[in-house]
Amino acid sequence: MTRSSLMTDLMAVIQDRKTRTETEKSYVAGLLRGGVPKIGAKITEEAAEVVEAGDEPGEEGRVHLVKEVADLVFHSLVMLAHRDLGWDDVEDELARRFGISGIDEKAARNKPAQ
């Protein structure tokens, strides 16, 4: 399985759980039933854990960081599904930004409308 197809497959599972949130006894279905407050709380929790793991030394810290980033990405995917978005939308945005200086890209977002 390629990495891109892994993300697509994972989004498909999350979308499947979304269609069955009322009957599904799953972690994802529970998050989706809780909406932005519940999903957002998990994203906030996981983001804090990423930062903490980023400061842990050695191989154990590296392994922990990867696991926490995976949790953060997963919960972000659930939020995307909640808003009827998919991984392709994220890839499209990253592709749009590719090759553009981060400073220039951020400045373009902050320009007032004319």
Side-chain angles (χ1 to χ4, degrees):
M1 174 182 304
T2 65
R3 289 184 178 162
S4 183
S5 71
L6 172 64
M7 297 302 281
T8 301
D9 291 349
L10 188 52
M11 282 302 302
V13 170
I14 293 168
Q15 285 292 349
D16 179 65
R17 298 299 188 278
K18 184 177 180 180
T19 64
R20 300 187 286 158
T21 55
E22 297 304 315
T23 59
E24 186 74 25
K25 290 184 181 180
S26 79
Y27 177 70
V28 171
L31 285 172
L32 291 166
R33 278 193 299 275
V36 171
K38 189 165 188 174
I39 302 165
K42 282 304 295 180
I43 290 172
T44 300
E45 174 188 327
E46 297 302 341
E49 290 173 2
V50 165
V51 174
E52 290 171 15
D55 202 31
E56 293 175 11
E59 187 60 24
E60 189 174 311
R62 291 168 50 87
V63 169
H64 187 206
L65 177 59
V66 168
K67 289 179 179 182
E68 294 302 340
V69 169
D71 288 345
L72 178 59
V73 169
F74 174 79
H75 288 92
S76 296
L77 294 176
V78 174
M79 183 68 84
L80 288 170
H82 175 71
R83 293 293 311 270
D84 296 320
L85 294 164
W87 186 250
D88 290 346
D89 296 300
V90 175
E91 285 187 348
D92 290 347
E93 177 59 16
L94 290 171
R96 184 190 69 76
R97 295 179 187 188
F98 192 77
I100 300 172
S101 156
I103 294 169
D104 292 342
E105 193 279 328
K106 186 165 185 164
R109 282 189 275 157
N110 294 328
K111 282 186 179 174
Q114 296 190 14

